[in-house]
Amino acid sequence: RKEVEQDPGPFNVPEGATVAFNCTYSNSASQSFFWYRQDCRKEPKLLMSVYSSGNEDGRFTAQLNRASQYISLLIRDSKLSDSATYLCVVTSTGTYKYIFGTGTRLKVLA
Amino acid sequence: NAGVMQNPRHLVRRRGQEARLRCSPVKGHSHVYWYRQLPEEGLKFMVYLQKENIIDESGMPKERFSAEFPKEGPSILRIQQVVRGDSAAYFCASMRGDRGLQETQYFGPGTRLLVL
C-alpha cells in the first residue's frame, strides 16, 4: 500500500462547480499535512496547510480526519485558473521530508 | 526576496556522463531537500541536508548519486555515469527549520534532466 494515495482523475468540472478531492495516508504517526498545486511542468506551490480543526482560505477548504487517516480539499465556484494537479503531502516525524501523493488532475471547463 | 533558485533549468547528457545540479535555497534557510519527479508520476524524496551535513539520504540510490550542502555556496546533487532512467525533473526545496511542524517547504523551478 502506498504511503499517500490520491485518485489521479482527471476531474473535469464546469466553471462554477464545487469539487472535492480526498487523500488517504497510511502512517498514523504523520504529523503535518499540506495541499500543493502543480501546474504543468512547473514546481509545486503551497496551496494550504491542513489543520486538525480544518481551515478555509477563500474558495478552498481543507479538512483532516485523523481517525480515518484522510485529508480533503474542497474547491467552491471553480475557475478556469484552478485547472492544475493537486498534490497531497504528508510529512514524517523528525525530518519533515515530504511524502507526496501522485496528484489529482483537475480540469475546469468553460 | 529571491526564492529557491536552481540551475541549470534544462540539462542534456549522454549516457555515462556526469550531471551536476545546483540549488540555492531561500536566504536564511538552512534545510535543503531534493526530490525527483518522473514523467506522469509524483515527487519522490531523495535526500535531506543541512549545512555541511546529510541528515536523511534514504530516498537516494546508493550508487552514482551524491549530494552536498557546503558551508558556502549552493547545494549540489551529482549523478555520475547517467543512464536513460535518470531522465526526470529534479526539484530542490528549502525550509528555515525552526518554526515547528507546520513549517512549509519552498520549491525551486526544477532542473529537467534528459539523458540521451
Side-chain angles (χ1 to χ4, degrees), chain A residues 31-34 36 38 41-44 46 49-51 87 91 94-102 105, chain B residues 10 33 35 37 41-43 45 48 55-56 58 91 95 100-110 112:
Chain A
Q31 294 191 297
S32 304
F33 308 89
F34 305 93
Y36 274 73
Q38 186 175 29
R41 300 184 66 77
K42 301 275 188 168
E43 72 274 24
L46 178 67
S49 303
V50 187
Y51 303 114
L87 303 171
T91 64
T95 63
Y96 301 106
K97 68 184 183 187
Y98 278 7
I99 302 167
F100 283 86
T102 51
R105 284 182 62 200
Chain B
H10 300 273
Y33 300 78
Y35 297 87
Q37 186 173 33
E41 291 190 17
L43 284 82
F45 166 79
Y48 162 40
I55 307 301
D56 182 345
S58 58
F91 290 100
M95 186 174 82
L101 290 172
Q102 287 299 135
E103 187 171 358
T104 55
Q105 295 177 21
Y106 295 87
F107 283 80
R112 278 162 182 78

Side-chain angles (χ1 to χ4, degrees), chain B:
Chain B
N1 258 342
V4 178
M5 294 193 291
Q6 290 187 248
N7 66 80
R9 297 287 303 274
H10 300 273
L11 183 61
V12 180
R13 285 287 179 264
R14 297 193 180 281
R15 281 179 297 168
Q17 291 184 319
E18 178 180 289
R20 197 173 281 242
L21 288 60
R22 286 176 290 278
C23 168
S24 297
V26 173
K27 188 175 179 182
H29 287 194
S30 58
H31 296 229
V32 166
Y33 300 78
W34 285 93
Y35 297 87
R36 175 165 68 177
Q37 186 173 33
L38 295 168
E40 304 301 321
E41 291 190 17
L43 284 82
K44 294 284 193 291
F45 166 79
M46 297 182 74
V47 61
Y48 162 40
L49 310 105
Q50 293 180 23
K51 281 287 186 182
E52 299 183 275
N53 289 307
I54 295 175
I55 307 301
D56 182 345
E57 55 183 347
S58 58
M60 198 159 68
K62 300 227 181 310
E63 295 181 359
R64 302 187 300 108
F65 286 73
S66 63
E68 63 177 11
F69 188 17
K71 188 176 179 182
E72 302 290 339
S75 175
I76 306 285
L77 179 67
R78 185 176 173 219
I79 312 173
Q80 295 178 290
Q81 299 173 351
V82 295
V83 300
R84 289 217 174 104
D86 296 333
S87 297
Y90 292 82
F91 290 100
C92 167
S94 78
M95 186 174 82
R96 277 181 61 128
D98 60 359
R99 295 183 174 174
L101 290 172
Q102 287 299 135
E103 187 171 358
T104 55
Q105 295 177 21
Y106 295 87
F107 283 80
T111 294
R112 278 162 182 78
L113 172 65
L114 175 63
V115 180
L116 301 177

Side-chain angles (χ1 to χ4, degrees), chain A residues 2-60:
Chain A
K2 289 183 181 178
E3 289 186 83
V4 180
E5 293 202 68
Q6 293 182 253
D7 181 341
F11 284 60
N12 296 323
V13 302
E15 268 189 293
T18 295
V19 61
F21 311 134
N22 278 346
C23 164
T24 58
Y25 60 95
S26 61
N27 185 352
S28 59
S30 299
Q31 294 191 297
S32 304
F33 308 89
F34 305 93
W35 284 102
Y36 274 73
R37 169 193 170 131
Q38 186 175 29
D39 292 286
C40 187
R41 300 184 66 77
K42 301 275 188 168
E43 72 274 24
K45 292 190 175 170
L46 178 67
L47 182 64
M48 56 200 311
S49 303
V50 187
Y51 303 114
S52 296
S53 55
N55 48 308
E56 186 174 315
D57 182 3
R59 298 181 293 108
F60 299 85

Side-chain angles (χ1 to χ4, degrees), chain A residues 1 22-26 28 64-71:
Chain A
R1 183 185 172 189
N22 278 346
C23 164
T24 58
Y25 60 95
S26 61
S28 59
L64 166 63
N65 185 318
R66 284 192 183 272
S68 300
Q69 293 182 207
Y70 75 85
I71 68 173

